Amino acid sequence: MGKEKKTESHSNGSYNYKMFKCFNRKFKINEVQPTNDVRDAFCKFSVGGGGDGDRSSGVMGAEQLCSFLDDHHVHSVTTVAEAQRLIDEVIRRRHHVTRFTRHGLDLDDFFNFLFYDDLNPPIKSHVHQDMTAPLSHYFIYTGHNSYLTGNQLSSDCSEVPVIKALQRGVRVIKLDLWPNSTGTDINVLHGRTLTTPVPLIKCLKSIRDYAFSSSPYPVIITLEDHLTADLQAKVAEMATKIFGQMLYYPDSDSLEEFPSPASLLHRIIISTKPPKEYLESRNPLVKQKDSSNVSPSSEEETPGTEEIQTLESMLSCDDYETKSDSDQQEEEEEASEEQKPVYKRLITIHAGKPKGSVKEEMKVAVDKVRRLSLSEQELDRTCSSNSQDVVRFTQKNLLRIYPKGTRINSSNYKPLIGWTHGAQMIAFNMQGYGKSLWLMHGMFRANGGCGYVKKPNFLMKKGFHEEVFDPRKKLPVKETLKASQQQFNNTIKDVKVYMGDGWRLDFSHTHFDAYSPPDFYTKMFIVGVPADNAKRKTKIIEDNWYPIWDEEFSFPLTVPELALLRIEVREYDMSEKDDFGGQTCLPVSELRPGIRSVPLYDKKGEKMKSVRLLMRFIFE
């Protein structure tokens, strides 16, 4: 982008760019026009036009719009009444109310209908997947250190990032609990860092108020607590008082199967390790080791340090739970329900971290389910050697992956390896803006943006000999086609990028270039299993606020269920880095065939007011 002092003016359908205070460059504004494909479709389905060669004449009424929608699979609407409501809405937006006497669309109206992303979106905007399966059958929108406003070492802790995450649809909120300076109350902060604390009560009240602002499906609070027994009891009191009937917890100590999202509508559940004092009553060695009376339940690395295995961590709940079923049953019979701390009874999803071999930790128990946490490096190592064990574990249990401790700038990792192995909770820093977070946004635009996306069937199936999907195996396209439950087949036959619009409304006219209109191009990426990854790029359209590329691209896919289509618009700059013009990411499994309006987002994932692309998707 040019940095020199400049002035510009807009008059009489043109822009004037003043260069070096010496002379003007005048550029005519070319208004966006329907493409040939749009004109052809209108001519085919409209009435009263096309016979004399004038393709812009004629009107498309409700019946004709229905025929177009059915023929092009552009919209799920099939009734004449619904089509008429679409027509009325387009006319209301584009014309004065007196024009409602005309109940059909002309060519420009039809073109604008296709460009309205709320009337003609690229993916389904409502929940459409089965929500009655156990939680382990879903990818869940998961945040990491949800209270941080910036980096992992010195940023402020606040309830505001928690609110923003919930409003975006995040369903898993992580809080780190520490005693305050007097030891009488609980703060939320990133321990052993310079982050400033926020009182736990503020975070809990914010979760209560905003938990279901964007989705009715359950919110899971993962707690990493470093508290005394008294403060743990205070957390339990806070949670029950603030959440009331919203708080769900089971009657039994452990679950044999997780409940479903549908059964937990508008409910909040807690996931953490059982409190240490409950274990002490059964394992005196832990009590002897403890001299600080603080429960160290950290599942993760302190930033910039490596984890240290201690006797205390080796005797924590996950290792304790490896006792024989008979021994555990005898102990449970001795401890009545009234003797157990309230805090422990509020834990629905028991959590833990590997203390020994990950392969041993991933052995699936018959009578209970749990959550296991791995760092991104641990996941990489485990998937390299025991990938099918990971898939098998995640068919019944929950697996949470968190960023490595050296990501002090709150950056994120590549999420596809976790999703490919069935990991439900890919924990991301929601303030760590970048391409990895764009992929996370894209995945959870699926299923109406409710925060729960059903895992593909092949990740949940077992063969006759208990074999499961092998993510390391390169699959031929036809194998995936046969196993796929999607409405499309193995290849996106055609992704066509027609044009873009809206930059002139959202940016100043010298934002991209001080001396001329922008030079836009579009990049497209398929991000999925390694065999499917691909990149395409359009030509550069010079000096035009309304770029028309009209280019087609094909993407063969072996695992379309896990593929994401990432789109990015850039403005070419000869002397500096190309400027950012918008981005989006869409789940391929959710793409709706036909001509679609694709809205673009800024670098932080906020939807741009006016910028969108007109594209076409065809599957074969």
Side-chain angles (χ1 to χ4, degrees), residues 198-227:
V198 59
L200 171 63
I201 193 168
K202 278 190 173 184
C203 294
L204 296 184
K205 287 182 176 179
S206 296
I207 293 172
R208 176 197 63 192
D209 295 341
Y210 292 91
F212 309 108
S213 57
S214 64
S215 169
Y217 291 99
V219 167
I220 302 170
I221 305 175
T222 62
L223 299 178
E224 183 177 317
D225 80 78
H226 307 262
L227 304 176

Side-chain angles (χ1 to χ4, degrees), residues 185-204:
D185 208 346
I186 305 105
N187 282 334
V188 174
L189 74 154
H190 201 196
R192 304 183 183 92
T193 67
L194 300 177
T195 55
T196 57
V198 59
L200 171 63
I201 193 168
K202 278 190 173 184
C203 294
L204 296 184

Side-chain angles (χ1 to χ4, degrees), residues 60 120 178 201 272 324 345 354 368-370 386 390 424 438 475 487 505 522 542-543 564 569:
M60 183 179 287
N120 185 34
W178 294 81
I201 193 168
T272 186
S324 69
R345 295 200 345 237
K368 61 184 177 181
V369 290
R370 60 197 175 101
N386 302 293
V390 180
Q424 298 88 350
W438 297 349
L475 299 175
Q487 296 298 314
L505 300 175
T522 298
E542 296 183 351
D543 299 333
L564 298 170
V569 175

Side-chain angles (χ1 to χ4, degrees), residues 41 55 61 126 155 181 194 226 312 321 370 408 420 465 469 473 477 511 522 547 589 601:
R55 303 168 71 186
H126 60 277
S155 64
S181 57
L194 300 177
H226 307 262
E312 190 171 54
E321 290 178 353
R370 60 197 175 101
I408 59 176
T420 303
H465 303 288
F469 172 71
K473 184 179 179 182
V477 171
H511 176 86
T522 298
S589 62
Y601 298 78

Side-chain angles (χ1 to χ4, degrees), residues 337-352:
E337 194 69 20
E338 289 74 23
Q339 292 174 308
K340 299 176 186 177
V342 174
Y343 181 74
K344 181 182 185 299
R345 295 200 345 237
L346 297 184
I347 301 171
T348 297
I349 302 175
H350 287 214

